[in-house]
Amino acid sequence: MPYTIRSLGAAICIALIGTGLAVAKPSHEAADPNHEIDTANWIALPLTSIDGFFPTPWTCAGAAPAPQVLIQFHQNWHCTNPDHTGTNWGNRFFGFHKQFLLGYDRYLTSLGEPHVQTWVAAPSALIPPAHGGRAANSPCTNCLALPSQFKLPAAGGTLDGFASVTAIGDAIVGWHNTNHGRIAQAGGTGGCSGSSADMNCPAFSTRDPIFYRYHHIFDDVQDAWRTHQTTDIAIVFDRSGSMSLPTSGGGTRLDAAKAAASLFADLLEDGSSHRLGMVSFSTTASSPADMSLTTVAAAPAALTTALGAITASGATSIGDGLQKAQALVAGGTNLRKAILLLTDGMENTAPTIATAQPGLGDTHVCSVGLGTPGALDGPKLRDLSEHQGGIYISTPNSLELKKFFVFCFADIFDTFVGEDPIETLAATSLASAPTIHTSYDDTKLVFVLSWKDPLPKGALRLSITAPNGTPVNLSDASVESVFGPTWHIVRLRTPYRGQRDGSWEARAVRPHRGFVNGFSSNAFADFAEGSALVRRELARLCPDGCKSVLYYEDETTHDTFEEHNTIYADALYSQESGGIIGRIARPRDAAEFARALREQRFDLIVYSSQYTEKDQPYDGILSELLCSRTRPRSIISDNRETAAARSILRCAGALRGERRNFTTVSGKELLPTDAKLRAQDHVAVFSYQITPTAVSSLIQLKSSAGDAAVIAQ
């Protein structure tokens, strides 16, 4: 169905990528904060019910369970893969536990629960969750601190001295095993070789909630090493005949795959030394490569050209694609190698995955299956990814495919991905609910918004707010903002204008032209709440900054913003110093305001009248300007109950009603909690009823009487 901005909702997904020991959190509290109940339910799930998990041949003692559930799957992996056995054992150790944690976090997301955070073992470190015989916050008296060899030089370590991830895995497993036993000494349930604690035994350790927090450190260590290595990456792209089939999200699989691959290229950071290439395959793989290893700056355009020449036909030789991709990255100069494999089917032509895998060495592999589980070589792809230290995920949905390419990007480069479920941005909303990321020591944040159908640039975008409420200016020199036909990527390094730790808020936002506020400029009982509301309005209207602002309030007689104590002045002044607002013209009286309106040298009008009921010399000019086809962006509030004021409000998008002086306003689009309004000295009407003039005028705040308090266009 074609997309129309005013009549249809948009299917969207917001993903967050960070580089610290943090996770993305929903904007609510967990129902099971220690995850004792969640974990018990998780480990009882049959493997066949979870994407990326497949029963493995039983090698532990006793009869094979049927069905095999998660707690048995973990036990059996350790029976099948004793420490330091087989090729790439360290990579397998990392890959298996990364997949296990990915499944656990996705399970928590499905319950509406926040992901778990890293718990770092150290002498006397407190173990947060209670479990069995262990009380909450019990000290791990004998736990070992992370050795310096697993820390980066900036933290006094020598992690950069390892030649490969598999070498790190081989070296760190001893520390891993010792602390399992030391955590067990703090108390627990179950038994293993005479122990009374779950964490002492692979058969039971996954039922202790600390298992998941503890194992995140192994992701953090390997990803810290990866983040500091430049990488040659090859996308291995399936072009077999089945790629012409439709996806569940609309369009063909080939179209969906091309869009996801292009998104991946845009995710690579400008100025980095990574290089990207592509090999496509069907009955055989392309030779030479469809796209040779290309610098980050040139990769998006080069990949677009390469993808444009690909059509769907032929059989499926995944192994040949892997072999050609390995040859491509092996010829690159970067020491680290990675492959992102996309396929929609089952291999049916030699060479196979089994033939290609031994030749991959330490090359990192992330695999994405596009289709339903029964039509994919899921067990083979999962085994391949585990051997190479990566993850496997699958989907039949075109929008979710983009999200999974973001997963692979983070798997190859960064620490974690926290994502909101795919949702619909309703036609009656200009902005989505917030996605909250709680940052701790993140050095870089990447926000990714993706949607289903192509839109003109800027028709849908990200709006990001720092922990102190300051909007992120997309045109700031320290911010990288990239638009694609079905995505918007914002990358920033922290600290950003002094902001790093705390809650970052991201929303999907449609273009705004203006706000009408149904209250006077100092009606908020909490001045800071009113100022924060106006700052959010400014962020929506000025994503790339407003270079020139015309600001007028009646009775504006002071010389500085600090002295002129209103929520509009406070918000504008703070955002001027924060880079969102540029030059501010502030007329001293109504006549000067009228002259400034005639000159029209501004990007944004901020206007509020509250102290008079008289007609003003600017009335007709302001109404005409707001009703024009080229109307400027605006924030309008007018308490006057005059015909001229009603005309100004109507042209701004609202009709004045009869009710007045409401005491509460609420609405999650602009306020995190309900806000109280109050009477003001010398102001007879401190709030008033407004209604939208058209369908395109959307209600953003409600009053205590149910009427609109803020309307947006």
Side-chain angles (χ1 to χ4, degrees):
M1 181 179 291
Y3 181 90
T4 306
I5 194 74
R6 292 300 182 191
S7 63
L8 296 179
I12 61 170
C13 174
I14 299 177
L16 310 167
I17 306 173
T19 56
L21 308 185
V23 296
K25 290 184 177 180
S27 56
H28 56 76
E29 295 298 321
D32 179 21
N34 288 322
H35 300 299
E36 181 77 11
I37 299 170
D38 297 333
T39 301
N41 292 331
W42 155 256
I43 62 174
L45 292 174
L47 295 184
T48 53
S49 67
I50 307 169
D51 179 47
F53 288 73
F54 305 95
T56 51
W58 191 253
T59 59
C60 295
Q68 194 175 125
V69 298
L70 278 162
I71 190 171
Q72 296 156 344
F73 178 62
H74 177 267
Q75 175 190 7
N76 192 50
W77 189 90
H78 283 280
C79 291
T80 308
N81 301 283
D83 291 358
H84 309 296
T85 57
T87 58
N88 268 18
W89 186 88
N91 248 335
R92 292 205 72 173
F93 169 78
F94 280 140
F96 171 78
H97 289 95
K98 182 184 283 285
Q99 187 83 24
F100 209 84
L101 294 179
L102 174 65
Y104 183 69
D105 279 342
R106 291 180 70 191
Y107 174 70
L108 293 179
T109 295
S110 73
L111 301 177
E113 299 279 4
H115 296 176
V116 295
Q117 297 192 34
T118 299
W119 176 79
V120 182
S124 298
L126 300 182
I127 304 173
H131 178 69
R134 185 184 69 232
N137 294 314
S138 294
C140 188
T141 307
N142 298 315
C143 272
L144 301 179
L146 187 70
S148 61
Q149 70 184 118
F150 304 119
K151 300 177 183 178
L152 288 170
T158 57
L159 180 62
D160 60 333
F162 282 99
S164 66
V165 170
T166 201
I168 300 171
D170 286 329
I172 206 171
V173 70
W175 183 79
H176 161 270
N177 294 346
T178 299
N179 275 332
H180 259 277
R182 302 294 172 86
I183 296 167
Q185 292 172 11
T189 60
C192 180
S193 301
S195 170
S196 63
D198 285 351
M199 281 290 284
N200 207 35
C201 178
F204 303 121
S205 58
T206 53
R207 63 189 183 191
D208 189 336
I210 196 60
F211 172 93
Y212 305 91
R213 301 190 192 195
Y214 171 56
H215 281 81
H216 265 294
I217 190 64
F218 302 103
D219 272 357
D220 295 337
V221 168
Q222 62 177 306
D223 291 326
W225 183 87
R226 286 173 175 151
T227 300
H228 287 75
Q229 305 289 327
T230 54
T231 308
D232 290 327
I233 316 118
I235 296 175
V236 181
F237 192 94
D238 191 340
R239 53 175 164 80
S240 60
S242 56
M243 289 290 285
S244 62
L245 295 174
T247 69
S248 62
T252 68
R253 294 178 179 180
L254 190 65
D255 293 336
K258 288 180 178 181
S262 295
L263 168 62
F264 184 89
D266 271 345
L267 280 168
L268 295 170
E269 185 174 4
D270 286 353
S272 68
S273 298
H274 308 303
R275 293 195 298 173
L276 180 68
M278 185 182 73
V279 171
S280 66
F281 69 91
S282 57
T283 308
T284 59
S286 55
S287 183
D290 301 85
M291 173 180 158
S292 60
L293 291 174
T294 304
T295 62
V296 166
L303 187 61
T304 297
T305 300
L307 290 170
I310 290 179
T311 58
S313 65
T316 305
S317 175
I318 300 174
D320 201 31
L322 290 169
Q323 288 179 335
K324 297 294 197 315
Q326 178 63 18
L328 176 63
V329 296
T333 56
N334 287 325
L335 293 179
R336 185 166 174 255
K337 315 296 181 183
I339 286 173
L340 193 169
L341 168 63
L342 169 76
T343 181
D344 79 326
M346 306 179 81
E347 57 183 1
N348 51 30
T349 303
T352 63
I353 295 172
T355 302
Q357 192 274 322
L360 296 178
D362 197 51
T363 297
H364 187 94
V365 176
C366 183
S367 306
V368 180
L370 177 55
T372 55
L376 292 164
D377 265 326
K380 294 180 181 179
L381 294 169
R382 172 66 204 109
D383 192 57
L384 166 71
S385 297
E386 180 183 297
H387 270 94
Q388 303 306 131
I391 57 173
Y392 166 68
I393 36 188
S394 67
T395 176
N397 183 277
S398 59
L399 181 57
E400 196 168 63
L401 183 64
K402 295 191 191 78
K403 181 170 75 172
F404 287 173
F405 266 58
V406 174
F407 274 22
C408 276
F409 176 84
D411 181 46
I412 293 171
F413 291 111
D414 294 287
T415 299
F416 67 89
V417 173
E419 87 288 355
D420 262 4
I422 290 173
E423 60 184 36
T424 297
L425 180 61
T428 54
S429 180
L430 289 178
S432 71
T435 294
I436 306 297
H437 167 65
T438 303
S439 171
Y440 177 68
D441 279 351
D442 284 318
T443 58
K444 179 176 62 180
L445 294 172
V446 185
F447 300 83
V448 185
L449 168 66
S450 55
W451 56 90
K452 178 175 171 288
D453 298 318
L455 293 172
K457 180 180 178 180
L460 201 59
R461 63 171 179 82
L462 281 163
S463 175
I464 302 161
T465 304
N468 68 347
T470 299
V472 171
N473 185 350
L474 300 184
S475 64
D476 192 289
S478 63
V479 176
E480 185 181 338
S481 173
V482 180
F483 280 96
T486 57
W487 61 84
H488 182 204
I489 301 167
V490 176
R491 180 184 288 103
L492 57 93
R493 292 193 174 274
T494 59
Y496 170 78
R497 297 189 177 274
Q499 294 294 293
R500 186 187 65 183
D501 296 346
S503 295
W504 294 75
E505 179 182 294
R507 295 175 186 264
V509 176
R510 289 188 173 108
H512 291 38
R513 292 304 304 172
F515 287 95
V516 178
N517 294 335
F519 45 77
S520 59
S521 64
N522 281 340
F524 281 80
D526 184 338
F527 182 88
E529 281 187 325
S531 177
L533 168 66
V534 178
R535 288 201 304 272
R536 292 187 181 97
E537 292 177 340
L538 292 171
R540 300 280 188 87
L541 295 173
C542 305
D544 299 313
C546 284
K547 296 180 180 179
S548 57
V549 178
L550 179 60
Y551 162 53
Y552 177 75
E553 292 194 64
D554 56 357
E555 298 294 319
T556 304
T557 60
H558 300 293
D559 291 329
T560 66
F561 283 127
E562 293 94 328
E563 292 174 332
H564 186 202
N565 192 28
T566 79
I567 60 174
Y568 294 108
D570 187 74
L572 284 168
Y573 186 73
S574 66
Q575 300 308 80
E576 182 187 38
S577 62
I580 290 289
I581 299 301
R583 181 183 61 85
I584 300 175
R586 185 164 55 90
R588 299 297 299 261
D589 54 41
E592 188 177 336
F593 182 43
R595 288 193 295 273
L597 288 171
R598 289 191 186 95
E599 293 176 359
Q600 297 187 31
R601 296 175 181 174
F602 46 82
D603 300 316
L604 172 71
I605 299 175
V606 178
Y607 160 74
S608 175
S609 177
Q610 59 184 344
Y611 291 109
T612 181
E613 273 295 319
K614 298 178 181 179
D615 288 340
Q616 299 294 326
Y618 57 75
D619 286 338
I621 305 169
L622 182 56
S623 294
E624 183 179 354
L625 194 59
L626 293 174
C627 273
S628 68
R629 291 185 178 180
T630 58
R631 60 169 288 191
R633 289 168 283 189
S634 62
I635 300 176
I636 303 296
S637 176
D638 199 325
N639 290 32
R640 297 177 299 160
E641 298 184 87
T642 65
R646 291 177 185 274
S647 177
I648 290 170
L649 292 178
R650 183 177 64 254
C651 287
L655 299 176
R656 177 73 175 256
E658 298 300 320
R659 283 192 285 273
R660 62 174 66 181
N661 292 345
F662 306 124
T663 57
T664 305
V665 290
S666 62
K668 292 182 179 179
E669 298 93 339
L670 292 172
L671 286 175
T673 59
D674 291 358
K676 301 294 184 183
L677 302 182
R678 60 172 176 80
Q680 293 175 250
D681 294 340
H682 312 299
V683 177
V685 178
F686 63 84
S687 61
Y688 50 92
Q689 176 189 6
I690 51 177
T691 57
T693 58
V695 174
S696 60
S697 299
L698 304 178
I699 296 172
Q700 297 286 290
L701 285 186
K702 289 277 192 179
S703 73
S704 51
D707 298 307
V710 175
I711 288 173
Q713 278 195 334

